[in-house]
Amino acid sequence: MQINSDTAILLAHCKDAKGILHAVTDFVLSNNGNIIKLDEHVDEDESHFFMRVQWDLSEFNIPKDKIGEYFNTLIGQKYDMTWDLHLSSSKPRVALFVSKYPHCIYDLLSRYESGEWNIEIPIIISNHEKFAGLAERFGILFHHIPITKETKLEQEQKEIALIKEHNIDLVVLARYMQILSSQMTEAFPMKIINIHHSSLPAFAGANPYKAAFKRGVKFMGATAHYVTEDLDEGPIIAQDIYPISHRDSISDMKRKGRDIEKIVLAKAVWAHLNHTVLIYKNRTVIFD
Amino acid sequence: MQINSDTAILLAHCKDAKGILHAVTDFVLSNNGNIIKLDEHVDEDESHFFMRVQWDLSEFNIPKDKIGEYFNTLIGQKYDMTWDLHLSSSKPRVALFVSKYPHCIYDLLSRYESGEWNIEIPIIISNHEKFAGLAERFGILFHHIPITKETKLEQEQKEIALIKEHNIDLVVLARYMQILSSQMTEAFPMKIINIHHSSLPAFAGANPYKAAFKRGVKFMGATAHYVTEDLDEGPIIAQDIYPISHRDSISDMKRKGRDIEKIVLAKAVWAHLNHTVLIYKNRTVIFD
Amino acid sequence: MQINSDTAILLAHCKDAKGILHAVTDFVLSNNGNIIKLDEHVDEDESHFFMRVQWDLSEFNIPKDKIGEYFNTLIGQKYDMTWDLHLSSSKPRVALFVSKYPHCIYDLLSRYESGEWNIEIPIIISNHEKFAGLAERFGILFHHIPITKETKLEQEQKEIALIKEHNIDLVVLARYMQILSSQMTEAFPMKIINIHHSSLPAFAGANPYKAAFKRGVKFMGATAHYVTEDLDEGPIIAQDIYPISHRDSISDMKRKGRDIEKIVLAKAVWAHLNHTVLIYKNRTVIFD
Amino acid sequence: MQINSDTAILLAHCKDAKGILHAVTDFVLSNNGNIIKLDEHVDEDESHFFMRVQWDLSEFNIPKDKIGEYFNTLIGQKYDMTWDLHLSSSKPRVALFVSKYPHCIYDLLSRYESGEWNIEIPIIISNHEKFAGLAERFGILFHHIPITKETKLEQEQKEIALIKEHNIDLVVLARYMQILSSQMTEAFPMKIINIHHSSLPAFAGANPYKAAFKRGVKFMGATAHYVTEDLDEGPIIAQDIYPISHRDSISDMKRKGRDIEKIVLAKAVWAHLNHTVLIYKNRTVIFD
């Protein structure tokens, strides 16, 4: 994480209008904030304004717990903004959901343990027992919550309770082979990231490799997206693709796919945890 | 074209069996042919065998007009092969279909005129008059054949007649904004190549840029494929993709898409004209 | 070109300091300019600030011919800025230099003639006569200026005179196989774009394909850069790469390279003509 | 590993001549071997022939320990071949060398432990103590062998002894920040794979990120290669690249580079362990 000093990050978007950027920078500068990074984007097709501004709080005049209130009163209301304020002082808390595929969970745990990412992973939840030992070795609580068609809603309630209990900021589905019900997606909107093993919208749903083989495509990919009620339809955070040819069997695709999936998932998690993602109309603006 | 000497190219596929490759190389070698290039592929998921072999005919014992017959008698029938024989002596004859977008037709004509491709382009057919002058400047016959819903079948008959009259080996739809009827696709199976401005199967049909923008994908692409009765469903010959972000408006996608489309289309045409493409179950094997 | 209305584009960079962005946006807004597009970048490794701002001039209070003076007085001097102001009213004038390879010049002329680019190409200069007919067909003056080791300096004087006479904004070396002397590069600093057929700094100098083949690399590329006195060392504007394998002969690389070269060159020319390129310490910032 | 049945893999290359492929397939078929996979390549620029053939040994007439001898007598000598025979029955044994960067070693160990790769990793050797605990957790012997300029030759002798003692088939330098002396590279020719954090030959040597930043390139990459006496000059096995822009600081490059490095290194190790790599004149032919 780049978030190592005492900074504020503001993500905001609204209908485009003259002078928004000026107003926001004025808010920061006139209160003695030092802008570290500023990105803005105007979607010309939609006439919509997006911005991310990060500033140093060390000499900022407004107390931390009042910044949101002041910003909303002085700027947000005026432009009818949707906004979000993040302080860099707290470590993000992440929960991992996994089934039986090891590549994504190993990759995430490696980044975690090796210090590549400065986060907390207090719990791993799985519908199988396979990774209980792995979790233990990394010192993470493991909850085995098996799911059947009949027990899904009930079991998800346990998961929701655990997520709340552990103050989880982000749920990562690291090849978790279960479709979440709407009670789950609605409980944590834009707080659950999934990795799908195709370049969406191509080959949504089950068995993308087999479908891709059958269609004879020359590229395959992976897509990390926020989970919404509509399967594989949530806002896309990151994608990557890789070339394939007639020489690639379905088994080759699976092998190559694993490497792309874990990297794309990690890229999306990184983007989310760094507060670089804005969402508007089921699309993302990512200030990387 | 690499085809500059007197060679034969055999494309063949059949159910995999012991000794096929050996039998075919034996056929060439025992008749005093010198193998220039040999590619084979076994689709393990389908247990199907594919090969392309090109050999020098200068000392080959079997007369040119008998090679096919002999091959079929000695090898083809035995393995129940689907095969195709091409002699490098003849220049491929290509017809271009175009509507109003210039990028693909300019690119193809540039390759033609500059000598990059050793082919003949005797005719350009268009439903608009826009490129009549361009065709004239390149010394190519231009046929303006306007199409309406009502006249399509009738007007296509004219096109079919022209294609036959000019002994066309390949029809290239260079952003020809018309859907071909089945009378056309059936008249020239695997002889018509189209370029679609997305990475199929994503965003098939009309307006892929708009659909891609709406879905918020991070990659767009282009696909060259053989035209079959099913729109955008024919065997894929070539694809390429390019990254996009929130910074890309629909207009940016169009601009970037043009560059990919013309290159992907040219790549597919090159592959076809060099007899490197085999088709099996609506997929291609491309020996490049 | 996107430049279709009456706008001003300001490119500026300077040492990073508090409030620069605010000062520039204030300059535009307080004089009744409407910002169409704003990009800024802070190079944190160098602590250097870059920006590009484009605004509508229709109601701007400062007369066009005074904008630069006012900006410099009010803002530029204060921050010790390096800046450049462009008005969208004038059509860029481009000269093409070419030797014997057709792919880049055909591609550029296609974009020109088909209306993809709204520019003027008044002259083509070549050390060979090969493309005289092509120039004529596109209605462009063709100057055959042969170059030998002995005549280079003298002949370049003619070229310099032609460039000045025709008020050329940008010289494009479309695979012009001559090394420019320093009198030429100094006469038009950051006004000459070259395309090199490798991914610089790999395989600078002559025969990159052969060198790449010999080194056994798995990727090749192309690089468009401004021409400076140091061969292949000028600021890089655009690059792209393509995978190669043992299956690619030098001749295959040449074929694949052509497609990348022409696209990368066009991308760089487009970026330059849209005033999206800033140069600092032999590097480019490109606001695309 | 795909090597799960009782098969032989023959890698061979020689000067191209008529009938080689035929002779080899005849050797396999006439002795009742069933060819599972066959790849051949003719380097036309060098007129050199390469092949890889894998066949089922279950009904093969020649005893396993005699296959090499018979092949050499009947085929190898005749064509003056360089060849290598591998039997799929034995598990490859890999040693890891590492310094202080975690990403590659974590990735390799994850593939090992999760069963993605069916190999043995008996030892990890490092010039630092940092990963002693990690090795222990994965049940692997850890040898801390610190290196100074003065002790290098002596300490390498210990490493060479360990590699021999543990019957190591492949040494992987997983970001091992030491230059190997020629005694080491000569002891294990084409048995040591290194990962370099640039797209060689660009930015060979130390600090490629810094050099790339300074040169202002638009792409960076990673290269896995066999280690030879000449630093960063050995045969390239795998490369990959990623786009960068002015927005990427050196720190961003490091972050993005990590993900590419570990994937490229793994790809090279996989290719080597599956016996798909042939080496000729410091280049690789990879039959993937």
Side-chain angles (χ1 to χ4, degrees):
Chain A
M1 302 282 105
Q2 294 168 316
I3 309 159
N4 42 25
S5 57
D6 201 11
T7 67
I9 295 168
L10 180 82
L11 294 169
H13 66 90
C14 59
K15 201 171 156 8
D16 193 24
K18 222 169 168 170
I20 304 173
L21 184 68
H22 196 69
V24 176
T25 54
D26 195 60
F27 171 79
V28 176
L29 293 169
S30 65
N31 290 298
N32 218 23
N34 188 27
I35 293 176
I36 294 166
K37 203 158 166 46
L38 182 145
D39 289 287
E40 62 99 46
H41 170 64
V42 178
D43 184 326
E44 289 165 28
D45 293 290
E46 302 269 3
S47 190
H48 205 81
F49 175 88
F50 301 86
M51 81 175 295
R52 179 189 190 272
V53 57
Q54 179 171 15
W55 69 96
D56 187 347
L57 291 175
S58 53
E59 301 180 11
F60 200 56
N61 294 335
I62 305 169
K64 277 189 201 183
D65 60 347
K66 294 283 183 185
I67 299 175
E69 181 196 322
Y70 276 55
F71 178 79
N72 198 44
T73 305
L74 299 171
I75 315 278
Q77 290 179 345
K78 185 175 167 191
Y79 294 101
D80 198 12
M81 273 182 179
T82 303
W83 61 269
D84 230 346
L85 185 76
H86 304 276
L87 299 177
S88 65
S89 20
S90 63
K91 239 189 212 186
R93 296 173 64 81
V94 176
L96 304 184
F97 278 50
V98 68
S99 290
K100 286 178 156 183
Y101 289 113
H103 53 290
C104 287
I105 188 148
Y106 266 94
D107 188 63
L108 294 167
L109 291 178
S110 296
R111 293 169 196 269
Y112 171 51
E113 191 188 67
S114 71
E116 189 179 320
W117 287 354
N118 184 24
I119 61 173
E120 289 295 335
I121 303 184
I123 45 166
I124 295 175
I125 289 172
S126 181
N127 55 336
H128 295 281
E129 296 196 66
K130 184 176 177 184
F131 294 120
L134 180 71
E136 192 185 3
R137 268 192 24 217
F138 281 84
I140 301 170
L141 277 175
F142 182 84
H143 289 270
H144 176 220
I145 303 183
I147 306 260
T148 63
K149 219 173 170 181
E150 290 71 30
T151 63
K152 173 173 278 191
L153 292 179
E154 189 189 338
Q155 294 293 71
E156 278 189 350
Q157 285 299 336
K158 290 187 198 162
E159 295 171 347
I160 291 171
L162 281 166
I163 293 167
K164 287 182 176 166
E165 179 194 328
H166 288 279
N167 293 311
I168 296 302
D169 296 300
L170 178 68
V171 173
V172 179
L173 309 185
R175 296 299 309 273
Y176 180 63
M177 309 303 283
Q178 291 290 321
I179 297 172
L180 307 188
S181 80
S182 59
Q183 68 177 344
M184 187 77 151
T185 58
E186 279 164 20
F188 308 107
M190 306 303 148
K191 298 282 185 203
I192 308 174
I193 294 178
N194 182 48
I195 180 73
H196 183 77
H197 42 313
S198 79
S199 186
L200 290 175
F203 309 119
N207 284 326
Y209 295 129
K210 203 172 167 186
F213 179 81
K214 213 180 148 204
R215 182 63 188 93
V217 289
K218 305 301 185 190
F219 281 93
M220 266 300 274
T223 306
H225 61 93
Y226 288 111
V227 179
T228 60
E229 207 180 339
D230 302 315
L231 182 66
D232 296 335
E233 292 287 343
I236 293 169
I237 310 166
Q239 294 188 299
D240 204 0
I241 56 85
Y242 53 101
I244 55 170
S245 77
H246 61 271
R247 276 184 287 270
D248 291 295
S249 64
I250 291 175
S251 147
D252 291 325
M253 276 192 235
K254 280 182 187 165
R255 174 172 52 85
K256 294 180 179 181
R258 281 195 294 266
D259 285 355
I260 296 286
E261 287 159 32
K262 71 187 189 189
I263 300 298
V264 168
L265 178 58
K267 200 178 157 190
V269 170
W270 168 270
H272 179 91
L273 295 178
N274 280 284
H275 311 299
T276 62
V277 186
L278 286 103
I279 299 160
Y280 176 65
K281 288 195 177 179
N282 208 48
R283 296 192 293 273
T284 59
V285 165
I286 300 184
F287 290 124
D288 52 355
Chain B
M1 301 282 109
Q2 294 168 315
I3 310 160
N4 39 27
S5 58
D6 201 11
T7 67
I9 295 167
L10 179 83
L11 295 169
H13 67 88
C14 59
K15 199 167 157 16
D16 194 22
K18 222 170 169 172
I20 304 173
L21 185 68
H22 196 66
V24 176
T25 54
D26 195 59
F27 171 79
V28 176
L29 293 169
S30 64
N31 291 299
N32 218 21
N34 188 25
I35 292 176
I36 293 166
K37 204 160 165 47
L38 181 145
D39 289 288
E40 63 101 46
H41 170 63
V42 177
D43 185 325
E44 290 164 28
D45 293 291
E46 302 270 1
S47 189
H48 206 80
F49 175 87
F50 301 86
M51 80 175 295
R52 179 188 190 271
V53 57
Q54 179 170 15
W55 68 96
D56 188 347
L57 291 175
S58 53
E59 302 180 10
F60 199 56
N61 294 335
I62 305 169
K64 277 188 200 184
D65 59 348
K66 295 281 182 188
I67 299 175
E69 182 196 323
Y70 277 55
F71 179 79
N72 198 44
T73 304
L74 299 171
I75 314 280
Q77 289 179 346
K78 185 174 167 191
Y79 293 102
D80 198 12
M81 271 184 180
T82 303
W83 60 270
D84 230 347
L85 185 76
H86 303 275
L87 300 176
S88 66
S89 19
S90 65
K91 239 188 212 189
R93 296 172 65 79
V94 177
L96 304 182
F97 278 50
V98 68
S99 288
K100 287 177 157 182
Y101 290 112
H103 53 292
C104 287
I105 187 148
Y106 265 95
D107 188 62
L108 294 168
L109 292 177
S110 297
R111 292 170 197 268
Y112 171 52
E113 191 188 68
S114 70
E116 189 178 321
W117 287 353
N118 182 26
I119 60 173
E120 289 295 335
I121 303 183
I123 46 166
I124 295 175
I125 289 173
S126 181
N127 55 335
H128 295 281
E129 297 196 66
K130 184 175 177 185
F131 294 120
L134 182 69
E136 191 185 4
R137 268 191 24 216
F138 280 83
I140 300 170
L141 277 175
F142 183 85
H143 288 271
H144 176 220
I145 303 184
I147 307 260
T148 64
K149 218 173 170 179
E150 290 72 29
T151 64
K152 173 173 281 193
L153 292 179
E154 188 189 339
Q155 294 292 73
E156 278 190 347
Q157 285 299 339
K158 290 186 198 164
E159 296 171 345
I160 291 172
L162 280 166
I163 292 168
K164 289 182 175 167
E165 177 194 331
H166 287 280
N167 293 312
I168 295 304
D169 296 299
L170 179 69
V171 173
V172 179
L173 308 186
R175 297 299 308 274
Y176 179 63
M177 308 304 282
Q178 291 290 323
I179 297 172
L180 306 190
S181 81
S182 59
Q183 67 176 344
M184 187 76 152
T185 58
E186 281 165 18
F188 308 107
M190 306 305 149
K191 299 280 184 205
I192 308 173
I193 294 178
N194 181 48
I195 180 74
H196 182 77
H197 43 314
S198 80
S199 185
L200 291 174
F203 310 119
N207 284 326
Y209 295 131
K210 204 172 166 186
F213 179 81
K214 214 179 147 204
R215 182 63 188 91
V217 289
K218 304 302 185 189
F219 282 93
M220 265 300 273
T223 305
H225 62 93
Y226 289 110
V227 179
T228 60
E229 207 178 341
D230 301 315
L231 183 66
D232 296 335
E233 292 287 343
I236 292 170
I237 311 166
Q239 294 190 298
D240 204 1
I241 55 86
Y242 54 100
I244 55 171
S245 77
H246 62 270
R247 276 183 287 270
D248 290 293
S249 64
I250 292 175
S251 147
D252 291 326
M253 276 192 236
K254 281 182 186 165
R255 173 171 53 83
K256 294 179 178 181
R258 281 195 294 264
D259 285 356
I260 296 286
E261 288 158 32
K262 71 186 187 188
I263 300 299
V264 168
L265 178 58
K267 201 178 155 190
V269 171
W270 168 270
H272 179 91
L273 294 178
N274 280 282
H275 310 299
T276 62
V277 186
L278 286 103
I279 300 159
Y280 176 66
K281 289 196 176 177
N282 208 46
R283 296 193 292 274
T284 60
V285 165
I286 300 184
F287 290 124
D288 52 354
Chain C
M1 302 280 109
Q2 293 169 313
I3 309 160
N4 40 25
S5 58
D6 201 12
T7 67
I9 295 168
L10 179 84
L11 293 169
H13 66 90
C14 60
K15 200 169 157 11
D16 192 24
K18 221 168 170 171
I20 304 173
L21 184 68
H22 196 69
V24 176
T25 53
D26 195 60
F27 171 79
V28 175
L29 294 169
S30 65
N31 290 298
N32 218 23
N34 188 26
I35 293 176
I36 294 166
K37 204 160 164 45
L38 182 146
D39 289 288
E40 63 99 46
H41 171 64
V42 178
D43 184 325
E44 288 165 27
D45 293 291
E46 303 269 2
S47 190
H48 205 81
F49 175 87
F50 302 85
M51 81 175 295
R52 178 188 191 274
V53 57
Q54 179 171 14
W55 70 94
D56 187 347
L57 291 174
S58 54
E59 301 181 10
F60 200 55
N61 294 335
I62 305 170
K64 278 188 199 185
D65 60 348
K66 293 284 184 187
I67 299 174
E69 181 196 322
Y70 276 55
F71 178 78
N72 198 44
T73 305
L74 299 170
I75 314 275
Q77 290 179 346
K78 186 174 166 192
Y79 293 103
D80 198 13
M81 272 183 180
T82 304
W83 59 271
D84 230 346
L85 185 75
H86 304 276
L87 300 177
S88 64
S89 20
S90 64
K91 240 189 212 187
R93 296 173 64 80
V94 177
L96 304 183
F97 279 50
V98 69
S99 289
K100 285 176 156 183
Y101 290 112
H103 53 292
C104 287
I105 188 148
Y106 266 93
D107 188 63
L108 294 168
L109 291 179
S110 296
R111 292 169 196 270
Y112 172 50
E113 192 189 66
S114 70
E116 188 178 322
W117 286 354
N118 183 25
I119 61 173
E120 289 293 335
I121 303 183
I123 45 168
I124 295 175
I125 289 173
S126 181
N127 55 336
H128 295 281
E129 297 196 66
K130 184 177 178 182
F131 294 119
L134 181 70
E136 192 184 1
R137 267 192 23 216
F138 280 84
I140 300 170
L141 277 174
F142 183 84
H143 288 270
H144 176 220
I145 302 184
I147 307 260
T148 64
K149 218 173 169 180
E150 290 72 29
T151 63
K152 173 173 280 193
L153 293 179
E154 188 188 339
Q155 294 294 74
E156 278 189 349
Q157 285 300 336
K158 289 186 199 163
E159 295 171 346
I160 291 171
L162 281 165
I163 293 166
K164 288 182 175 166
E165 178 193 330
H166 287 279
N167 294 311
I168 295 303
D169 296 300
L170 178 68
V171 173
V172 179
L173 309 186
R175 296 299 309 274
Y176 180 64
M177 308 303 284
Q178 291 290 323
I179 298 172
L180 307 189
S181 81
S182 60
Q183 68 177 346
M184 187 75 151
T185 58
E186 281 165 18
F188 308 107
M190 305 305 147
K191 298 282 183 204
I192 308 174
I193 293 178
N194 182 47
I195 180 73
H196 182 77
H197 43 313
S198 79
S199 185
L200 290 174
F203 310 118
N207 283 327
Y209 295 130
K210 203 171 166 186
F213 180 81
K214 212 179 148 205
R215 182 63 188 92
V217 289
K218 304 301 185 190
F219 281 94
M220 266 299 275
T223 306
H225 61 93
Y226 289 112
V227 179
T228 60
E229 205 179 342
D230 302 316
L231 183 64
D232 297 335
E233 292 287 343
I236 293 168
I237 311 166
Q239 294 190 298
D240 203 359
I241 54 85
Y242 54 101
I244 55 172
S245 77
H246 62 270
R247 277 183 286 271
D248 290 295
S249 64
I250 292 175
S251 147
D252 291 325
M253 276 193 236
K254 280 181 187 166
R255 173 171 54 84
K256 294 180 178 181
R258 281 195 294 265
D259 285 354
I260 296 286
E261 289 159 30
K262 71 187 188 188
I263 300 298
V264 168
L265 178 57
K267 200 178 156 191
V269 170
W270 168 271
H272 179 91
L273 295 178
N274 279 282
H275 311 299
T276 62
V277 186
L278 285 104
I279 299 159
Y280 175 66
K281 289 196 176 179
N282 208 46
R283 294 194 294 274
T284 59
V285 166
I286 300 185
F287 290 123
D288 53 353
Chain D
M1 303 281 107
Q2 294 168 313
I3 310 161
N4 40 26
S5 58
D6 201 12
T7 67
I9 295 168
L10 179 83
L11 294 169
H13 66 89
C14 59
K15 198 168 158 14
D16 192 23
K18 222 169 170 171
I20 304 173
L21 184 68
H22 197 68
V24 176
T25 53
D26 195 59
F27 170 80
V28 175
L29 293 170
S30 64
N31 291 298
N32 219 22
N34 188 26
I35 293 176
I36 293 165
K37 205 162 163 43
L38 182 146
D39 289 289
E40 61 100 49
H41 171 63
V42 177
D43 185 325
E44 289 166 27
D45 293 292
E46 303 269 2
S47 190
H48 205 81
F49 176 87
F50 301 84
M51 80 175 297
R52 178 188 191 273
V53 58
Q54 180 171 14
W55 69 96
D56 188 346
L57 292 175
S58 53
E59 302 180 9
F60 200 55
N61 294 335
I62 305 169
K64 277 189 199 183
D65 60 348
K66 294 283 182 186
I67 300 175
E69 182 196 321
Y70 276 55
F71 179 78
N72 198 43
T73 305
L74 299 171
I75 315 277
Q77 289 178 348
K78 184 175 168 191
Y79 293 103
D80 198 13
M81 272 184 179
T82 304
W83 61 271
D84 230 346
L85 185 75
H86 303 275
L87 299 177
S88 64
S89 21
S90 64
K91 239 189 212 187
R93 295 173 65 81
V94 177
L96 304 183
F97 279 50
V98 69
S99 289
K100 286 177 156 182
Y101 290 112
H103 52 293
C104 287
I105 187 148
Y106 266 94
D107 188 63
L108 294 167
L109 292 177
S110 296
R111 292 170 197 268
Y112 172 52
E113 192 188 66
S114 70
E116 188 178 322
W117 287 353
N118 183 24
I119 61 173
E120 288 295 335
I121 303 183
I123 47 166
I124 295 175
I125 290 173
S126 180
N127 56 335
H128 295 281
E129 298 196 66
K130 184 176 178 184
F131 293 119
L134 182 69
E136 191 184 5
R137 267 191 25 215
F138 281 84
I140 300 169
L141 276 176
F142 183 85
H143 289 270
H144 176 221
I145 303 183
I147 306 260
T148 64
K149 218 174 170 178
E150 290 71 29
T151 64
K152 172 173 282 192
L153 292 179
E154 187 188 339
Q155 295 291 74
E156 278 189 347
Q157 284 301 337
K158 289 185 199 165
E159 296 171 344
I160 291 170
L162 281 166
I163 293 167
K164 288 182 176 166
E165 178 193 332
H166 287 280
N167 293 312
I168 295 303
D169 296 299
L170 178 68
V171 173
V172 179
L173 309 185
R175 296 299 308 273
Y176 179 63
M177 309 303 283
Q178 292 290 323
I179 297 171
L180 306 189
S181 80
S182 59
Q183 68 176 345
M184 187 74 151
T185 58
E186 281 164 18
F188 308 107
M190 306 305 149
K191 299 280 184 206
I192 308 173
I193 294 177
N194 182 47
I195 180 74
H196 182 77
H197 44 313
S198 79
S199 186
L200 291 174
F203 311 118
N207 282 328
Y209 296 130
K210 203 172 168 185
F213 180 82
K214 214 181 148 202
R215 181 64 188 91
V217 289
K218 304 300 185 190
F219 281 93
M220 266 301 271
T223 305
H225 61 94
Y226 288 111
V227 178
T228 61
E229 205 179 342
D230 302 314
L231 183 65
D232 296 337
E233 292 287 343
I236 293 168
I237 310 165
Q239 294 190 297
D240 203 0
I241 56 85
Y242 53 100
I244 54 171
S245 77
H246 62 269
R247 276 183 287 270
D248 290 294
S249 65
I250 291 174
S251 147
D252 291 325
M253 276 191 238
K254 281 181 186 166
R255 174 171 52 82
K256 294 180 178 181
R258 279 195 296 264
D259 285 355
I260 296 286
E261 288 158 31
K262 71 187 188 188
I263 300 298
V264 168
L265 178 57
K267 200 179 155 189
V269 170
W270 168 271
H272 179 91
L273 295 178
N274 280 282
H275 312 299
T276 62
V277 186
L278 286 103
I279 300 159
Y280 176 66
K281 288 196 176 178
N282 209 47
R283 296 193 292 275
T284 59
V285 165
I286 300 183
F287 289 123
D288 53 352

